[in-house]
Amino acid sequence: MPEKLNTSSRRATVSRTTKETDITATIDLDGSGTGNISSGVVFLDHMLTNFSRHSGIDITLDCKGDTEVDDHHSVEDIALVLGSAFLKALDSKTGIQRYGWAMIPMDETLARCAVDLGGRSYCVFSAEFKRPAILGFSTEMVEHFFVSLSRTMQANIHLAIMEGKNTHHMIEAMFKAFAYAMKMAV
């Protein structure tokens, strides 16, 4: 447990506008797990809503992106914005646990996640997906999402599928494992 609880507001809003995307995200680390997500990528909305619910972190996110081209710019820029919002909301990191970890089963799948909010960015990702996309979310972008998130969040994120066959279950278990690891760390 942290030695001293942080009683200051741990909220942040970050916006990013590029030629491909226009994103605004607000997070509240001490929320109730409410997600109001509109990314333009249906399955990513589902994953971020699950993350919010299971972490207890409120997220409001709106992204207008060039999804008619593909999901790459939106997914990458959302991760960059969310990582920046986490870093800003953590501020001086007073009172955080810093480390968090979780193992989450979902039917035939078992996902593992460990995070370190110590200020160094690095992502280790181990998963292979059989389906190329789910509802507009390219499975190759799952790793890229977490690599981009770790960079702007200045955190170590280690994610792995220990067992799994169903691509939907694997990705969802990873986002939920990340949620519980973050819940512990913050």
Side-chain angles (χ1 to χ4, degrees), residues 15-186:
S15 296
R16 174 184 170 100
T17 301
T18 68
K19 289 194 292 189
E20 296 89 8
T21 61
D22 184 6
I23 303 167
T24 299
T26 300
I27 65 165
D28 182 350
L29 298 176
D30 302 307
S32 60
T34 301
N36 185 5
I37 314 294
S38 178
S39 71
V41 180
V42 175
F43 194 67
L44 181 58
D45 288 356
H46 179 51
M47 293 303 97
L48 293 176
T49 299
N50 272 317
F51 169 82
S52 180
R53 180 180 310 118
H54 290 277
S55 66
I57 297 169
D58 291 348
I59 299 176
T60 301
L61 181 133
D62 184 61
C63 173
K64 305 288 187 274
D66 62 353
T67 54
E68 70 281 357
V69 174
D70 75 1
D71 62 327
H72 184 97
H73 297 127
S74 292
V75 172
E76 178 180 38
D77 288 359
I78 286 167
L80 295 172
V81 167
L82 286 174
S84 296
F86 275 112
L87 185 64
K88 188 175 176 183
L90 285 165
D91 192 31
S92 69
K93 300 181 185 173
T94 302
I96 68 167
Q97 181 76 22
R98 179 178 164 175
Y99 300 101
W101 56 89
M103 290 189 72
I104 299 297
M106 187 167 182
D107 296 338
E108 85 297 344
T109 297
L110 181 63
R112 177 190 70 207
C113 181
V115 298
D116 173 8
L117 302 179
R120 293 180 308 278
S121 60
Y122 202 85
C123 184
V124 176
F125 186 93
S126 179
E128 292 183 21
F129 306 114
K130 293 179 183 174
R131 290 169 62 182
I134 301 175
L135 293 174
F137 189 18
S138 304
T139 56
E140 70 181 4
M141 290 305 296
V142 178
E143 179 176 9
H144 194 61
F145 176 88
F146 285 105
V147 168
S148 298
L149 182 72
S150 73
R151 187 173 348 127
T152 55
M153 199 164 101
Q154 297 179 11
N156 289 181
I157 302 173
H158 289 248
L159 274 163
I161 292 296
M162 311 308 291
E163 300 176 44
K165 294 180 183 174
N166 181 288
T167 300
H168 181 131
H169 293 165
M170 293 164 68
I171 295 169
E172 188 166 339
M174 292 181 105
F175 272 85
K176 287 177 178 176
F178 178 62
Y180 282 97
M182 284 297 291
K183 185 176 190 174
M184 180 186 292
V186 302

